[in-house]
Amino acid sequence: MTLKQTLLHGFWRDLPPFRLVLGLCPALAVTAAANNGLGMGLAVTFVLVFSNLIISLLRKVIPEDVRIASYIVVIATLVVIVELAMKAFFFPLSQQLGIYIPLIVVNCVILGRAEAFASRNTPVLSMADGLSVGLGFTMSLTLVGSIRELLGAGTWFGLTVFGESFEPFEFMVQAPGAFLCLGVLLGLMNAWSRKRGEIFVQT
Amino acid sequence: MREIGRLILVLGLIGVGSATSLAWVRATLAERIEQQEDLYVRGPALSRLFSRPADELLANKVKISTDSAEYPVFYLQEGGELSGLAVQAAGQGGYGGDIVMMVGIDVQEDELVGVEVVSHSETPGVGAKVEKADFRSQWEDLTATEHVQLRSAGGSIDAISGATFSSQAMVNGTNQVVDLLRDHRDEILARIDERIGAGGES
């Protein structure tokens, strides 16, 4: 892939979690509000960019047999850095995201990109890939969060949108609402790409 | 054999790099994280214990060191007299590690005002219930001169069902503070007097 293709593929062709169908756990769990989705997305983007960079730099050094263990150590280190930084600068957000920040370690999008991309591409391309996929993930999570917050609480990023008379569907900010929202979006995306005749091979 | 050596070396070096960078980040951010915890956790907890605005209480802080640990102690003055203390302690024996908590004491009556949880890593929905007010309200008005105990050990605290470890950690933290107050009372009072004398505002 060229640099331009790499920079763009995360926004539609490999858009997580819809296209890659990886990273569903945070996409379902933290998206009760747009704000949380955005924060989670940016945290994942940071980890993804730097884990891709470091793994790409070390790709010729890391032996095949212990590559997954090495990737996990690198990713876990970055996640703890994010966790500490979030506590130092965005404390309320870190309290809301709680356990889901440490769980970025096992977010399959990150391990997936390390294995599928960073381990066989140059550092610059790998960072571009991390940025693209990370921002795509942020976009998806913010979208899911926005829909759920708007319908479930009548607010957007904490601002009242529909006013007093609006009776929120509380269902949408609870767990089943997350599945419903994600499923409908996935269906719409598939219908749209079928209409345009795009061929998707899930790899 | 050479191959195995290489595996160990590479993984070991990655581990060393990881540990070094984490230690550095932690040291750099420790002070700021503490400030944020004051602002968002300790401040509101103190404010609930003593029904006073948080910034009035947060500044009133001394640190008491014992052989085993260091305790941040916050104090409240009313009409020029010391009326309340809030001691932060780490309750050991939690399911996910120590539960950092704040124990409020009415110094005049030698009674507990209440307990507040500062930070914990207990299981959400189980041990995390130690944060709930109906569990913590059991501490109100207990005497501050004797150890508290779970009901299973003959005491007065009902443990959260399914979370005996977490409940026990809260009890342990309280008892540390009871011990501290018994053994180091004079030192605490002297340190507070010293601080007030040194220009700490009323």
Side-chain angles (χ1 to χ4, degrees), chain B residues 153-177:
Chain B
S156 65
I157 306 285
D158 284 320
I160 295 166
S161 61
T164 315
F165 282 115
S166 315
S167 310
Q168 184 65 47
M170 295 286 281
V171 166
N172 292 348
T174 314
N175 291 342
Q176 275 181 47
V177 175

Side-chain angles (χ1 to χ4, degrees), chain B residues 119-142:
Chain B
S119 69
H120 70 86
S121 332
E122 302 304 290
T123 319
V126 189
K129 285 187 190 156
V130 294
E131 282 185 323
K132 299 246 181 204
D134 52 351
F135 174 67
R136 289 186 291 107
S137 65
Q138 299 185 82
W139 267 259
E140 284 164 21
D141 304 331
L142 295 179

Side-chain angles (χ1 to χ4, degrees), chain B residues 166-197:
Chain B
S166 315
S167 310
Q168 184 65 47
M170 295 286 281
V171 166
N172 292 348
T174 314
N175 291 342
Q176 275 181 47
V177 175
V178 170
D179 286 343
L180 180 81
L181 219 62
R182 190 186 56 214
D183 300 338
H184 296 268
R185 194 182 185 104
D186 296 337
E187 189 190 341
I188 296 172
L189 296 180
R191 289 289 299 283
I192 291 172
D193 276 344
E194 199 177 294
R195 213 190 106 77
I196 295 170

